[in-house]
Amino acid sequence: MRQDSEKSAALRVGKALNDPIKGITALRRAGVSVTVAEVRMGPDLRHATVFVKPLLGADEELVLKALRTNTAFFQKEVAGKLRLKYAAKIRFQSDE
């Protein structure tokens, strides 16, 4: 049962991050598309590791830096879109 709730939460976080919000839109304007490959939620649902990959692997370090710099913005957006009381702490990682 707990595993189902973790998968459901991960799916909702992934969908919320895929919305065309300001940070991702800015990257796209710069010609960079980002794929969210996977979202892993912690057992307490308070932490989320988001595995991302720029399309064609272009400027991977630059994209990760931009996402990490705007982590608070993404956390707020995800919590708002999912109507959560607490925002999961998001950590961006490169998808290998």
Side-chain angles (χ1 to χ4, degrees):
M1 182 70 153
R2 181 155 180 97
Q3 207 172 30
D4 289 340
S5 68
E6 286 178 25
K7 285 181 182 178
S8 174
L11 197 68
R12 291 187 350 228
V13 170
K15 284 182 181 178
L17 284 172
N18 276 326
D19 284 353
I21 53 182
K22 293 177 187 175
I24 299 298
T25 303
L27 289 171
R28 286 189 180 142
R29 275 193 218 124
V32 178
S33 292
V34 177
T35 299
V36 175
E38 182 181 355
V39 178
R40 291 185 193 159
M41 297 297 295
D44 61 357
L45 303 180
R46 296 272 181 133
H47 296 84
T49 302
V50 181
F51 293 91
V52 297
K53 188 75 171 175
L55 216 55
L56 304 175
D59 300 319
E60 187 168 334
E61 286 304 315
L62 181 65
V63 170
L64 281 172
K65 182 178 179 185
L67 291 171
R68 290 173 179 156
T69 300
N70 295 294
T71 299
F73 171 78
F74 290 112
Q75 289 173 181
K76 181 181 173 191
E77 286 293 310
V78 169
K81 289 185 184 298
L82 299 178
R83 296 185 186 121
L84 298 173
K85 185 174 180 179
Y86 300 103
K89 179 149 177 62
I90 297 172
R91 194 176 84 198
F92 292 100
Q93 293 288 329
S94 175
D95 183 46
E96 299 301 327

